[in-house]
């Protein structure tokens, strides 16, 4: 992933140096397990731990000749360790190291994502609490519907993100899997107890039944869950973009001092962060196809998945982390305009209260069809007339005034009746 969208903490987890460090952690953990079970001398392991090191540039130099990254790594490590290095990688295949170390990277990445997700959750909860009574119009099909509050809208976002957090916590357990079982997963040259002990040292669980690799359904699940979280973030970003449109302007991304929106039009304040989030979600989603295609490897293993994962896994982790930081900052600093919300809610004279008028008429004994016809006629008249006023038209319609008193008509246009039960939703979410 390009530096522009890489935050340092996550970027560090996907450097060559960090990758080689996890490889070394796995190799040393295996050596420790081998020694504890009596397969190799304990003093040799202590010497390995004291001397083991690597040089990323030297590894690349060796790899240019041998054309094998793990062999190049082991060769370089042995340049530091010397004679005890013969016990390193004993009975292992490359994927024992690669896949187990990759799990360490994926878990570390997920921990960062979950940490940032918690910050986002708290931002949503705070802003939802702040705007639990900020009334605005709800929309369906992009058309004005009935009153809601901005806090209620944010509560829906919060509920979705909490589900996402639950999925990621489950995912962290599912991806924390190690494999130290040899060339085709049969433990032909290594004791299964070594795998169990190594995984315990690394905070992983042994794979139930690996081939030469850990099956890629786990990694596909990982990518898909991040894509799902990114899709949720995109939903929020699209909503912000829509609410920031000039003819709506109910919320607006924070516009920093000195920021400029257009090289040509000085008046522009564009929702650039929300648009950026939409684009990033597209990238992460595109990787789900590759992740699914990586599952079908030949027999016990081929390496068609390897080149894909070198690009795909850093990209999805780095971008998801960046997206979470962006959406968190965006929500924390989002400008909210209650007066504009009130203005928009009352266009056409409160036409959004049509259902309440309908139900009130029905409660007085006329048929639903008759009531619907009366209300629809007045609503459409208001909708298609300059300065149309639904409330005024209803108040002048003899078919309505003959049934409803002025106070009963007035009560139909009280937005509070639409909000009476929102507290039950807020309570579910601890808002």
């Amino acid at each position: 992933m390009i530096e522009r969208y890489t935050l340092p903490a996550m970027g560090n987890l996907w450097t060559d140096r960090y990758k080689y460090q996890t490889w070394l952690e796995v190799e040393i953990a295996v050596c420790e397990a081998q020694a504890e079970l009596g397969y190799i001398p304990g003093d040799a392991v202590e010497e390995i731990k004291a001397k083991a090191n690597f040089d990323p540039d030297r590894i690349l130099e060796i790899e240019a000749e041998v054309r094998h990254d793990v062999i190049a790594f082991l060769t370089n490590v042995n340049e530091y360790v010397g004679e005890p290095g013969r016990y390193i990688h004993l009975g292992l295949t490359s994927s024992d190291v690669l896949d187990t170390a990759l799990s360490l990277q994926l878990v570390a990445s997920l921990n960062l994502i979950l940490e940032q997700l918690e910050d986002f959750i708290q931002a949503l909860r705070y802003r939802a609490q702040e705007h639990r009574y900020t009334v605005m119009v709800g929309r369906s099909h992009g058309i004005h519907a009935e009153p809601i509050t901005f806090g209620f809208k944010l509560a829906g976002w919060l509920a979705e993100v909490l589900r996402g957090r639950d999925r990621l916590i489950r995912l962290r357990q599912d991806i924390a899997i190690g494999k130290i079982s040899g060339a085709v997963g049969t433990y032909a040259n290594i004791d299964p107890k070594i795998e169990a002990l190594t995984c315990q040292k690394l905070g992983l669980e042994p794979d139930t039944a690996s081939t030469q690799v850990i099956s890629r359904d786990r990694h596909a699940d990982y990518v898909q869950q991040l894509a799902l979280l990114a899709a949720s973030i995109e939903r929020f970003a699209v909503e912000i973009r829509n609410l920031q449109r000039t003819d709506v302007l109910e919320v607006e991304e924070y516009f920093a001092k000195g920021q400029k929106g257009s090289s040509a039009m000085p008046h522009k304040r564009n929702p650039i962060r929300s648009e950026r989030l939409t684009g990033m979600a597209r990238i992460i989603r595109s990787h789900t196809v590759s992740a699914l295609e990586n599952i079908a490897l030949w027999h016990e293993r081929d390496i068609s998945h390897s080149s894909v994962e070198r690009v795909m896994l850093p990209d999805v982790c780095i971008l998801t982390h960046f997206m979470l930081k962006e959406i968190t900052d965006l929500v924390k600093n989002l400008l909210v305009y209650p007066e504009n919300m009130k203005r928009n809610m009352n266009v056409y004279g409160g036409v959004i209260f049509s259902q309440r008028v309908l139900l009130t008429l029905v409660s007085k004994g006329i048929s639903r069809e008759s009531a619907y016809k009366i209300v629809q006629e007045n609503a459409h008249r208001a909708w298609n007339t300059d300065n149309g006023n639904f409330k005024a038209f209803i108040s002048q319609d003899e078919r309505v005034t003959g049934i409803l008193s002025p106070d009963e008509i007035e009560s139909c246009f009280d937005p509070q009746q639409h909000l009476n039960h929102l507290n039950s939703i807020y309570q579910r979410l601890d808002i």
Side-chain angles (χ1 to χ4, degrees):
M1 180 48 57
I2 63 174
E3 290 184 11
R4 184 181 183 91
Y5 303 134
T6 303
L7 299 175
M10 182 64 80
N12 289 338
L13 298 182
W14 292 98
T15 60
D16 281 346
R17 179 170 292 279
Y18 188 87
K19 176 182 70 174
Y20 296 140
Q21 185 60 49
T22 59
W23 292 7
L24 190 57
E25 287 178 26
V26 173
E27 293 283 7
I28 289 176
V30 171
C31 287
E32 290 176 332
Q34 296 261 33
E36 289 180 30
L37 294 173
Y39 287 100
I40 64 176
D43 56 353
V45 176
E46 291 306 312
E47 190 171 352
I48 289 169
K49 290 165 65 177
K51 294 182 176 180
N53 207 340
F54 59 85
D55 179 351
D57 292 333
R58 175 62 178 150
I59 293 171
L60 293 176
E61 180 183 327
I62 299 168
E63 186 180 356
E65 177 185 349
V66 301
R67 305 295 178 90
H68 194 293
D69 54 355
V70 175
I71 291 175
F73 167 77
L74 293 169
T75 300
N76 180 229
V77 170
N78 276 287
E79 290 174 341
Y80 289 92
V81 174
E83 193 277 336
R86 65 194 179 94
Y87 295 114
I88 299 175
H89 207 71
L90 200 63
L92 305 188
T93 189
S94 296
S95 290
D96 288 329
V97 179
L98 293 174
D99 279 9
T100 304
L102 179 59
S103 292
L104 295 177
Q105 276 186 294
L106 293 174
V107 169
S109 297
L110 203 52
N111 285 339
L112 279 181
I113 288 169
L114 281 165
E115 181 181 314
Q116 185 58 56
L117 188 60
E118 285 299 328
D119 195 19
F120 182 38
I121 287 169
Q122 293 311 311
L124 282 174
R125 181 171 279 117
Y126 177 83
R127 296 309 302 267
Q129 170 69 35
E130 180 186 3
H131 291 287
R132 61 190 296 155
Y133 302 122
T134 302
V135 183
M136 65 183 296
V137 66
R139 296 170 172 91
S140 60
H141 304 273
I143 308 301
H144 284 197
E146 291 188 335
I148 61 172
T149 71
F150 189 56
F152 170 70
K153 186 184 291 288
L154 294 177
W157 297 7
L158 176 60
E160 187 167 338
V161 173
L162 290 173
R163 291 193 297 273
R165 181 183 64 181
D166 291 343
R167 287 189 288 262
L168 293 191
I169 291 172
R170 189 270 306 164
L171 178 65
R172 183 169 55 187
Q173 180 179 348
D174 289 348
I175 202 63
I177 299 296
K179 178 262 180 197
I180 309 292
S181 54
V184 289
T186 59
Y187 304 99
N189 298 296
I190 194 160
D191 189 333
K193 293 178 182 177
I194 292 172
E195 178 185 67
L197 192 51
T198 298
C199 287
Q200 183 182 29
K201 291 175 179 293
L202 297 171
L204 305 175
E205 289 292 327
D207 196 9
T208 308
S210 63
T211 60
Q212 191 174 95
V213 296
I214 293 173
S215 295
R216 259 42 198 178
D217 64 296
R218 295 183 186 273
H219 304 77
D221 186 23
Y222 191 97
V223 174
Q224 288 182 99
Q225 293 303 334
L226 294 189
L228 184 55
L229 178 58
S232 292
I233 294 171
E234 182 186 16
R235 180 171 88 86
F236 312 150
V238 167
E239 182 68 11
I240 291 169
R241 289 164 59 193
N242 269 314
L243 294 179
Q244 187 169 332
R245 295 197 331 266
T246 304
D247 50 339
V248 177
L249 199 56
E250 294 178 353
V251 304
E252 188 176 30
E253 291 186 11
Y254 176 74
F255 203 77
K257 183 179 181 180
Q259 184 176 340
K260 293 177 172 59
S262 167
S263 63
M265 296 171 284
H267 71 278
K268 296 295 291 296
R269 289 161 64 108
N270 301 326
I272 57 172
R273 300 182 84 176
S274 300
E275 291 170 340
R276 183 185 302 135
L277 290 169
T278 293
M280 289 177 171
R282 293 170 185 166
I283 296 172
I284 295 176
R285 272 199 302 276
S286 73
H287 282 305
T288 61
V289 175
S290 299
L292 291 169
E293 291 178 344
N294 268 0
I295 294 173
L297 304 180
W298 285 17
H299 304 298
E300 276 56 62
R301 182 231 185 169
D302 63 56
I303 64 165
S304 61
H305 65 290
S306 177
S307 56
V308 178
E309 290 176 355
R310 290 175 191 267
V311 175
M312 174 182 68
L313 294 177
D315 275 10
V316 297
C317 291
I318 290 170
L319 275 180
T320 302
H321 187 236
F322 186 91
M323 288 181 72
L324 279 169
K325 182 67 166 61
E326 281 282 282
I327 191 66
T328 301
D329 289 347
L330 202 164
V331 167
K332 283 182 177 179
N333 297 296
L334 190 66
L335 304 176
V336 180
Y337 301 124
E339 289 304 313
N340 290 353
M341 292 177 175
K342 183 177 180 181
R343 177 201 67 200
N344 292 337
M345 190 173 69
N346 290 317
V347 295
Y348 307 118
V351 72
I352 62 172
F353 297 99
S354 65
Q355 181 178 196
R356 181 56 58 177
V357 177
L358 165 68
L359 295 176
T360 304
L361 287 172
V362 170
S363 72
K364 294 295 184 177
I366 70 172
S367 72
R368 182 181 177 86
E369 286 301 313
S370 296
Y372 196 103
K373 184 175 184 295
I374 293 168
V375 174
Q376 186 182 54
E377 287 177 1
N378 284 283
H380 287 185
R381 179 185 168 200
W383 204 284
N384 295 297
T385 305
D386 287 341
N387 301 315
N389 191 314
F390 174 66
K391 183 178 179 182
F393 295 159
I394 283 291
S395 300
Q396 297 163 7
D397 191 319
E398 293 181 354
R399 295 171 296 177
V400 176
T401 57
I403 301 173
L404 303 181
S405 69
D407 285 345
E408 288 173 326
I409 293 174
E410 184 66 32
S411 69
C412 292
F413 293 84
D414 179 6
Q416 183 57 45
Q417 61 199 336
H418 295 268
L419 316 178
N420 287 335
H421 299 293
L422 291 187
N423 278 337
S424 61
I425 296 172
Y426 294 146
Q427 288 169 4
R428 294 172 198 163
L429 294 165
D430 193 27
I431 292 174

